[in-house]
Amino acid sequence: MINIDELAVFCKKKGFIYPSSEIYGGMAGFFDFGPLGVELKNNIKAAWWKAHVHDRDDVTGIDGSIITNPKVWVASGHVGSFTDALLECSKCGFKTRADHFIEDKLHMDTAGLPLKQIDEIVRHHKLKCEKCGSQFRDAEGFNLMFQTNVGPIAGSVAYLRPETAQVIFADFRQVTDTSRLKLPFGIAQVGRAFRNEISPRDFIFRCREFEQMELEYFVRPDQVHKCPYLEEFKAYELMVYSAEMQEKKQEARNMSVGEALHKGIIKTPWHAYWLAFEHAWFAGLGVRPERLRIRQHLNEEKSHYALDTWDLEYNFPFGWKEVQGMANRTDFDLKQHIRHSGKDLSLYDEDSKSKIVPQVVVEPSQGVERAFAVFMLEAYHDDKKRGNIVLKLNPRLAPFKSAVFPLVANKPELVKKAREVYSSLKPHFNIYWDQSGSVGRRYARADEIGVPACITVDFDSLEDDSVTVRSRDTTEQVRVPASILQSVLADFLSGRELNELGKAVKSG
Ligand code: ATP
């Protein structure tokens, strides 16, 4: 697997991602998505929305504002405690995120430890500023929220949302009043979030502006141990790394969802169901299961509101890291907003003829950029035999679904025929036209940007109205009548084998 810096170089070279405002020197933690990147990113979000909202009867969506009344963030606890421990050099002023610094120097996980304990570790191990060798001041909590002012009114401080989740809680009343949802149900949202990360790093893994795909799943308090969907995933296998395994320095272990529940490793069937659902979403889009694991938070790293938290982790070139957080947030957030807003956010329960505050049994919270990195790392293949990179993105995610090539560019009748083919497909698929260079070069260029199938119009096409379709992954080629090309391409993109869809072309 390539390392993350090589991925950044590749993404820039091909037009997936550039450092933001690079002509002015860029800005750490901010990125722009280029012509291919925006397509891949949109496809990731669309695939997520389809699986989490459109394909389900129990989930609906919202698109909330980025700036809200700041009271939202007081109620949620972000104003008070959305902090990372910061170490600052007493001499040169160099600042670094304490847990990252300690992890780099001592390979010790200190995420979530109180500041006092951080200071003890820094002193005990005589950790010094890496720029000038001087001592650090006592660690401080640094709030990650970006502040802004709203309108021309002095002191009108507001925040750019650091997560999309709280907007879902703040809108809970309106959503339940205006939709016909009955518990259990979920409310989903995809949108921008901003965190003033102390040290953004690892390309798009840790940025200051990013997007989240989040879902709050609400359940009746007396149903938290009853998940009607569990059966679907009981036999599903996951690599599990429980808090106990981490404490006992054991290896993560493959087990079925059923076993993890039976042994009490995953505490609720809802949590187990959603962990498997999210794992399956990645696997279904081409991520190898051996590079995914679910890891339980240790007690000290768990947020104060969470009953139990698991992360879906991916084995990045820089180690196992979180791609998605899945916390059981209980009724903490709704109760906080009830208390701070003075509004009734409970639901009337027909069965018990009483008001209830639903429990959020799980909040799958996924960063789009981290998913983007995972899909790119999985897709990237340096094919030595072909002599070019082959980006084996799942066809649903691929920026371009196909490309149309006239075999040669200087034969008007061939170009005309190829243009007809191109125009017939363009309204149905995101495809492009390429007539420059040899066909081999055009195939190589298409491989490098992940085009699943290329279509070549040649001299035979003028006689038999057929075209050649070539697979990115196998280089296999078949001949297909132009009249059925649209359905052949649709079938191929949805997973059918190319050799089932046309007449094999002998290579050489
Ligand atoms: P980390 O421990 O890596 O800082 P976190 O636990 O703070 O992450 P959450 O608050 O659980 O992250 O956010 C949910 C998801 O949002 C993460 O799993 C990740 O995919 C994404 N995310 C969070 N912070 C960033 C960031 N700075 N850049 C890119 N994605 C992020």
Side-chain angles (χ1 to χ4, degrees), residues 342-356:
K343 299 286 185 311
D344 182 10
L345 304 181
S346 62
L347 296 177
Y348 183 73
D349 177 40
E350 291 290 346
D351 294 346
S352 62
K353 305 270 179 271
S354 61
K355 285 184 169 180
I356 54 171

Side-chain angles (χ1 to χ4, degrees), residues 195 197 205-207 210 212 322-325 365 367 370:
R195 296 186 186 179
E197 295 280 354
F205 179 83
R206 186 173 303 286
C207 357
F210 54 99
Q212 288 185 314
E322 169 181 344
V323 288
Q324 183 179 91
S365 173
R370 288 192 193 176

Side-chain angles (χ1 to χ4, degrees), residues 441-485:
R441 228 4 257 146
R442 287 180 253 169
Y443 282 147
R445 276 201 298 266
D447 286 348
E448 293 196 333
I449 60 169
V451 182
C454 291
I455 295 157
T456 303
V457 176
D458 57 21
F459 291 105
D460 287 345
S461 309
L462 300 175
E463 306 297 322
D464 64 5
D465 198 31
S466 288
V467 297
T468 299
V469 181
R470 179 243 194 206
S471 153
R472 170 197 70 196
D473 293 349
T474 62
T475 69
E476 182 186 9
Q477 300 184 9
V478 296
R479 243 2 232 185
V480 171
S483 55
I484 59 163
L485 192 53

Side-chain angles (χ1 to χ4, degrees), residues 67-322:
I67 295 176
T68 63
N69 188 310
K71 288 178 185 162
V72 168
W73 307 106
V74 175
S76 68
H78 283 81
V79 170
S81 61
F82 190 55
T83 53
D84 277 338
L86 172 77
L87 286 174
E88 184 177 356
C89 173
S90 57
K91 195 163 171 211
C92 74
F94 167 71
K95 292 187 177 95
T96 184
R97 184 171 151 173
D99 59 338
H100 287 173
F101 186 75
I102 294 170
E103 191 184 342
D104 290 348
K105 301 288 169 211
L106 306 173
H107 305 292
M108 189 190 274
D109 187 3
T110 57
L113 284 191
L115 297 177
K116 258 197 158 155
Q117 264 173 273
I118 300 268
D119 288 333
E120 278 161 22
I121 293 167
V122 168
R123 274 190 217 110
H124 179 78
H125 292 276
K126 300 190 171 53
L127 295 180
K128 298 277 159 52
C129 170
E130 63 183 15
K131 298 274 181 239
C132 74
S134 306
Q135 279 188 344
F136 285 113
R137 295 185 211 285
D138 285 351
E140 276 177 43
F142 175 77
N143 196 302
L144 299 183
M145 280 198 297
F146 279 102
Q147 278 190 19
T148 186
N149 287 292
V150 178
I153 306 147
S156 60
V157 168
Y159 305 97
L160 305 193
R161 65 183 181 195
E163 61 173 36
T164 62
Q166 292 306 321
V167 185
I168 295 177
F169 295 120
D171 284 356
F172 184 74
R173 176 86 279 157
Q174 287 98 317
V175 178
T176 52
D177 281 353
T178 54
S179 58
R180 300 170 58 82
L181 291 166
K182 284 191 82 179
L183 290 170
F185 64 77
I187 305 177
Q189 181 171 205
V190 174
R192 301 233 168 205
F194 301 80
R195 296 186 186 179
N196 197 3
E197 295 280 354
I198 297 169
S199 19
R201 60 181 189 175
D202 297 321
F203 186 34
I204 51 169
F205 179 83
R206 186 173 303 286
C207 357
R208 288 178 166 139
E209 175 175 346
F210 54 99
E211 284 193 83
Q212 288 185 314
M213 308 184 280
E214 292 197 305
L215 172 68
E216 303 299 326
Y217 200 81
F218 301 92
V219 172
R220 277 170 59 123
D222 60 355
Q223 302 282 313
V224 292
H225 291 287
K226 285 188 196 143
C227 170
Y229 313 125
L230 183 67
E231 217 39 54
E232 191 188 332
F233 283 116
K234 248 189 170 163
Y236 191 82
E237 290 252 329
L238 299 163
M239 197 195 300
V240 176
Y241 198 28
S242 67
E244 190 182 342
M245 290 171 186
Q246 294 163 62
E247 274 150 9
K248 292 187 173 162
K249 306 261 176 276
Q250 293 168 348
E251 297 283 305
R253 196 160 75 67
N254 279 329
M255 64 179 81
S256 69
V257 166
E259 183 188 347
L261 265 173
H262 179 70
K263 293 193 168 146
I265 297 173
I266 303 175
K267 293 196 188 88
T268 73
W270 281 111
H271 220 142
Y273 166 76
W274 279 106
L275 284 162
F277 183 92
E278 298 302 335
H279 186 284
W281 184 76
F282 274 102
L285 289 169
V287 180
R288 289 162 292 170
E290 65 270 23
R291 299 202 73 82
L292 290 170
R293 75 177 184 194
I294 55 165
R295 186 184 71 81
Q296 190 174 27
H297 277 205
L298 299 167
N299 254 336
E300 58 269 26
E301 87 185 278
K302 226 165 43 187
S303 305
H304 57 283
Y305 53 74
L307 196 66
D308 191 18
T309 300
W310 289 79
D311 288 342
L312 179 64
E313 295 189 331
Y314 176 74
N315 196 359
F316 283 94
F318 46 94
W320 287 99
K321 296 283 173 199
E322 169 181 344

Side-chain angles (χ1 to χ4, degrees), residues 75-78 163 165-166 169-170 216 218 305 328-340 345 357-358 360 363:
S76 68
H78 283 81
E163 61 173 36
Q166 292 306 321
F169 295 120
E216 303 299 326
F218 301 92
Y305 53 74
N328 178 339
R329 298 178 79 116
T330 70
D331 54 9
F332 173 82
D333 302 272
L334 283 180
K335 284 198 167 152
Q336 282 294 101
H337 288 295
I338 291 171
R339 208 154 62 80
H340 285 257
L345 304 181
V357 178
V360 171
E363 173 206 57

